[in-house]
Each structure stands twice: as C-alpha cells, then as structure tokens.
C-alpha cells in the first residue's frame, strides 16, 4: 500500500465515523412503532417512524422470517414528515427487521434500522 492509498483509506475511515456521528445526532429523539425489540401481534397492520425534525423518507424495507425483503409503502413517501406511517404486509410469527433511508431537512442522508418480533 503506497502513501496515497493509505491517506485515501484514512480519509474514508474518518468520513464513515463522521457520518455515523451525524446519524446519531439526527437520530436523537427518533422513535418507532413497533419499538426496537418489541413483540407485536399478527394483526399489526402499520408501522411508524417518528422524528423530532421533518424527514423525507426515501425507502423502507422489511426483512421477514420467510426470507423475503418487502418494500413498505407510505402515503407521505415524497415529502418531509415528522411521522411516517407505512402499511405492513400480512405478518407471520417470527423476527422482522426494518431498514429505512431518508434525508433530513439539512440535506443529510439518513438511515436507521430496528427489529421487532411477531407472536400469535
Ligand atoms: Cu444534518
């Protein structure tokens, strides 16, 4: 590895750390429904992402225990909102993970994830 590569690699690493810091700063006060680690019933129909500042949600995906990844659609997909509501597909018992991406009002790319379980 020559010096140029080392410097590029170091800059990249610092960039990743800074981005993580930004995400944490914006993520303060963020809440989800279900909450991370919560167990909900199979009759659960919606999920919420709630932010202290408006967030433009660009994509929300759900990894399901059947091995598939589902895209979760919400009515406010293209505008900044403090509360985003997405419709869930029919749920079966098991473990789920939601991954979301968005853009904060100051233009920072944001993302987060949380997990929940479904029981009968
Ligand atoms: Cu920002």
């Amino acid at each position: 590895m020559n010096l140029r590569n080392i410097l590029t690699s170091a800059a990249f690493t610092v960039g990743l750390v800074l981005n993580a810091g930004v995400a944490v700063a914006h993520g303060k006060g963020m809440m989800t429904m279900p909450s991370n680690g919560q167990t909900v019933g199979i009759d659960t129909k919606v999920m919420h992402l709630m932010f202290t500042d408006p967030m433009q949600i660009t994509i929300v995906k759900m990894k399901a225990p059947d091995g598939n990844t589902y895209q979760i659609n919400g009515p406010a997909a293209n505008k900044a909102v403090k509360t985003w509501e997405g419709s869930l597909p029919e749920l079966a018992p098991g473990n789920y993970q939601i991954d979301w991406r968005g853009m904060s009002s100051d233009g920072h790319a944001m993302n987060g994830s949380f997990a929940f379980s479904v029981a009968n």
Side-chain angles (χ1 to χ4, degrees):
M1 186 182 254
N2 64 28
L3 179 61
R4 186 194 155 95
N5 282 343
I6 291 168
L7 288 177
T8 304
S9 173
F12 184 65
T13 303
V14 169
L16 286 180
V17 171
L18 289 178
N19 279 336
V22 167
V24 168
H26 280 284
K28 250 185 213 172
M30 189 218 167
M31 286 170 44
T32 66
M33 246 172 54
S35 59
N36 188 41
Q38 187 179 357
T39 299
V40 299
I42 55 173
D43 57 344
T44 303
K45 300 272 190 272
V46 297
M47 52 143 292
H48 291 85
L49 301 174
M50 290 161 282
F51 303 94
T52 49
D53 296 310
M55 183 80 69
Q56 181 175 343
I57 299 298
T58 48
I59 191 159
V60 180
K61 289 183 175 179
M62 183 181 78
K63 289 178 196 149
D66 64 8
N68 292 323
T69 298
Y70 298 86
Q71 184 164 334
I72 306 299
N73 296 309
N78 292 316
K79 66 173 189 178
V81 292
K82 285 193 173 181
T83 299
W84 189 89
E85 178 180 315
S87 303
L88 295 172
E90 199 166 318
L91 299 176
N95 299 320
Y96 292 77
Q97 181 175 320
I98 301 276
D99 294 294
W100 63 267
R101 289 182 178 280
M103 189 168 61
S104 61
S105 52
D106 62 6
H108 283 131
M110 303 295 299
N111 66 78
S113 63
F114 65 98
F116 64 95
S117 298
V118 173
N120 276 316

